[in-house]
Amino acid sequence: ELFHRSQEEKDAKEKAKEKIQTAIDILRMSNQKITHYSIAQTCGVSFTTVKKYLDDETLKSLNEVE
């Protein structure tokens, strides 16, 4: 039971990370600014979840012109 719950938590974390990455890709393709809020809006996860996985420095680098 304990292992099963732990695996479910890992799966949920991976799913959230995948959604966040997909949102970043979508925002990039549509030339929109990448913010915690825009990612949350695009992929349907909470602002808090996005903040948990992406710090401000990472966001700053995502918005730099390549």
Side-chain angles (χ1 to χ4, degrees), residues 4-41:
H4 187 68
R5 187 179 329 150
S6 176
Q7 188 61 45
E8 286 176 358
E9 289 172 6
K10 286 180 184 175
D11 291 345
K13 287 180 182 179
E14 285 305 309
K15 194 166 191 169
K17 288 179 183 179
E18 287 174 17
K19 286 182 176 183
I20 290 167
Q21 184 58 58
T22 300
I24 291 168
D25 294 341
I26 290 168
L27 292 165
R28 275 190 171 148
M29 286 188 285
S30 57
N31 291 322
Q32 295 182 41
K33 185 165 181 167
I34 300 169
T35 66
H36 291 110
Y37 183 75
S38 66
I39 293 169
Q41 288 291 102

Side-chain angles (χ1 to χ4, degrees), residues 1-3 5-6 9 12 14 18-19 23 36-37 43-46 49-50 52 54-55 60-62 64 66:
E1 180 68 30
L2 183 60
F3 172 75
R5 187 179 329 150
S6 176
E9 289 172 6
E14 285 305 309
E18 287 174 17
K19 286 182 176 183
H36 291 110
Y37 183 75
C43 69
V45 300
S46 74
T49 300
V50 178
K52 183 173 160 183
L54 287 177
D55 61 24
K60 185 177 176 184
S61 68
L62 288 173
E64 289 174 357
E66 295 176 359

